[in-house]
Amino acid sequence: KEQNTPLTLNDEAVCIAEKQVLEGAPPLSSYWQLFDSNELVASRAQQADSATVIFSLSHNEQIRALAQQVHSLRLSRGAGLKIVIREMQTSLRYSDERLLLACGVNAIVPFGAPMSRFLTTLESLQGQRYNRHVPVNLEALLFSLQPLQLRGFLPLERFCQAVTQLVDNTLLPENGKGLLVALRPVPGLKPEQALTLCKPRRYGDLVTLLGDRLYLFLSSCRYNDLDTALKFIFRLPHDELFSNRLVWFEDLQILSEVRQLKALAPEAWKDMPPKLNVAPASVAPAPAATLRQTPQPVTLSIQPTGTPHE
Ligand code: C2E
Ligand code: C2E
């Protein structure tokens, strides 16, 4: 009976790795098999069952190909395979990490982690089985995890619609879609002026204007990273531009706030001609003019819902 046992059943201790992950060192033992590229690693791993498979990640352009390789391996070779990615020269975005994990990666070793830490991660995975669900349709997964193809200023209705659509995406983690931020400019600075200093760069980062506040939605941004993101997005230090800030990050809080924003929108905004509802590639000058033409003044009584963080 033993003679018929396929070799792959005995590959628990084998490490199939792209050679960069060892930083130039030779194979660490006879169990290590090094390859010149991720493609060769993926191809060898197609015959493995319980081995540790280690890919390297040096450029962000590799993310899509890696996602495909990992997804294919996980579906065809099953839960015994231990799939690891080591970041070599670049830091992955949180949203990219999420994508790779959803495709079936067991662990991502961050850029800057020393060799010893990398080896400890490999050790910690031994004997483990991958037990999360991996959707069969990779294209659908890629599509639903990619950021909204919108960036910059959106009229309020369109902003609320885009944020609601994103928060309703059940493939994204609960309470981890991003941050909704309300910013009130310092006295003397009009919201329209503050808007011209706001330059969102990432797709999925949106901004709108209501009354005396700017509302930003920062996709896949974590609460701790808010200051970093605002520093990049505003040309001047944001604490000199804004006297007050409220932040919502839980799904229900964001949805509830968006509902309130829609309710507060002046009727004139809701009837904007369709051409004004098209999102420009960067901050549009349009809202300032639109606001000035609105005949009725807006009385602000924004009561943030939930427990926003100031
Ligand atoms: P970082 O530049 O220090 O940014 C840290 C975190 O701040 C990001 O973590 C993200 O949560 C938030 N953040 C920074 N800028 C923005 C922004 O414009 N929009 C939004 N929505 N969030 C922002 P994350 O996403 O996990 O990225 C981790 C690191 O990966 C970044 O650290 C940076 O080193 C690198 N990175 C990600 N995307 C890019 C990029 O397009 N270009 C460059 N040069 N580096 C990037
Ligand atoms: P993008 O997402 O539209 O970002 C445009 C530029 O905003 C980036 O140009 C970078 O200068 C800045 N940026 C955005 N997010 C961050 C951040 O978290 N930290 C820092 N330090 N800068 C940030 P860059 O770096 O030349 O990238 C050009 C494009 O390449 C990006 O356009 C994006 O499409 C892609 N890209 C770069 N890094 C990453 C990444 O880590 N993950 C993904 N998914 N795409 C990336």
Side-chain angles (χ1 to χ4, degrees), residues 60-61 63 90-93 95-96 147 151 201-203 228 232:
N60 293 305
E61 297 86 65
I63 292 166
T90 189
S91 290
L92 277 170
R93 277 186 190 170
S95 51
D96 298 327
R151 174 176 57 192
R201 310 155 306 163
R202 277 196 193 182
Y203 278 104
T228 312
F232 286 124

Side-chain angles (χ1 to χ4, degrees), residues 66-110:
L66 261 181
Q68 276 161 350
Q69 284 155 349
V70 170
H71 185 261
S72 155
L73 279 178
R74 183 58 76 203
L75 288 192
S76 61
R77 304 312 303 165
L81 223 54
K82 289 141 313 195
I83 306 180
V84 178
I85 292 177
R86 185 169 192 202
E87 293 179 1
M88 303 308 297
Q89 291 169 28
T90 189
S91 290
L92 277 170
R93 277 186 190 170
Y94 172 43
S95 51
D96 298 327
E97 282 186 73
R98 246 170 12 198
L99 168 69
L100 292 166
L101 291 168
C103 286
V105 167
N106 293 73
I108 298 173
V109 181

Side-chain angles (χ1 to χ4, degrees), residues 156-157 261-274 277:
L156 186 78
E157 278 285 298
L261 292 184
K262 276 205 283 200
L264 285 168
E267 284 306 309
W269 286 22
K270 294 178 182 165
D271 298 333
M272 272 192 200
N277 287 336

Side-chain angles (χ1 to χ4, degrees), residues 87-157:
E87 293 179 1
M88 303 308 297
Q89 291 169 28
T90 189
S91 290
L92 277 170
R93 277 186 190 170
Y94 172 43
S95 51
D96 298 327
E97 282 186 73
R98 246 170 12 198
L99 168 69
L100 292 166
L101 291 168
C103 286
V105 167
N106 293 73
I108 298 173
V109 181
F111 173 58
M115 185 68 140
S116 54
R117 198 62 194 277
F118 165 55
L119 296 176
T120 314
T121 305
L122 299 187
E123 227 177 278
S124 73
L125 291 175
Q126 301 313 307
Q128 286 193 12
R129 287 178 68 78
Y130 183 88
N131 60 11
R132 292 192 300 267
H133 168 71
V134 174
V136 174
N137 188 337
L138 177 64
E139 285 310 312
L141 189 64
L142 286 168
F143 181 77
S144 59
L145 293 186
Q146 75 177 2
L148 292 175
Q149 292 307 298
L150 292 169
R151 174 176 57 192
F153 177 80
L154 289 182
L156 186 78
E157 278 285 298

Side-chain angles (χ1 to χ4, degrees), residues 23-43:
E23 302 172 13
L28 300 183
S29 72
S30 59
Y31 288 113
W32 279 76
Q33 301 174 9
L34 299 186
F35 293 87
D36 284 339
S37 69
N38 283 338
E39 289 70 31
L40 292 172
V41 169
S43 155

